[in-house]
Amino acid sequence: MRALALLCLVLLAGCATSTRVEGFTATGPAAFLYSAHTSTVMTANDDGEAERLRREWLADALQAHGMCGGGYVVDIRRNVVAAYGPFGNEGDILYRGHCL
């Protein structure tokens, strides 16, 4: 019975996906391109909790790459939609910016 319960937990863990799907590229010594995936959980709106989390992730990525210790500016925020139709809410938010 314990083996069955363990198997169920392993299967459930495999179904869980992270909401933090991101990418980072330094496009110059003081410039960057950051992307964060959107979904039903991490909506693309720019005024809610999902955006606050994405901005925290961006700050984490800049710190991890040793960039923009004095602050940064996001020059362009763009929503790139990957799915179409009535429930097309997946895609990426792209942030292009530079260090101060």
Side-chain angles (χ1 to χ4, degrees):
M1 189 64 166
R2 284 195 287 185
L4 179 61
L6 181 61
L7 178 64
C8 288
L9 286 176
V10 169
L11 291 174
L12 283 174
C15 292
T17 59
S18 173
T19 57
R20 188 172 182 163
V21 179
E22 61 185 338
F24 182 89
T25 302
T27 58
F32 60 87
L33 177 63
Y34 176 79
S35 65
H37 191 69
T38 62
S39 66
T40 304
V41 176
M42 291 297 293
T43 60
N45 68 336
D46 63 355
D47 60 352
E49 183 69 13
E51 182 67 11
R52 186 188 64 74
L53 286 172
R54 283 190 294 269
R55 292 295 180 128
E56 287 177 8
W57 298 347
L58 170 56
D60 291 346
L62 288 166
Q63 184 177 14
H65 287 86
M67 291 183 69
C68 303
Y72 65 92
V73 173
V74 172
D75 299 312
I76 299 171
R77 179 193 184 275
R78 194 171 117 207
N79 182 14
V80 179
V81 179
Y84 298 97
F87 303 108
N89 60 358
E90 287 198 30
D92 291 295
I93 304 292
L94 302 179
Y95 301 88
R96 181 175 302 276
H98 67 274
C99 301
L100 295 175

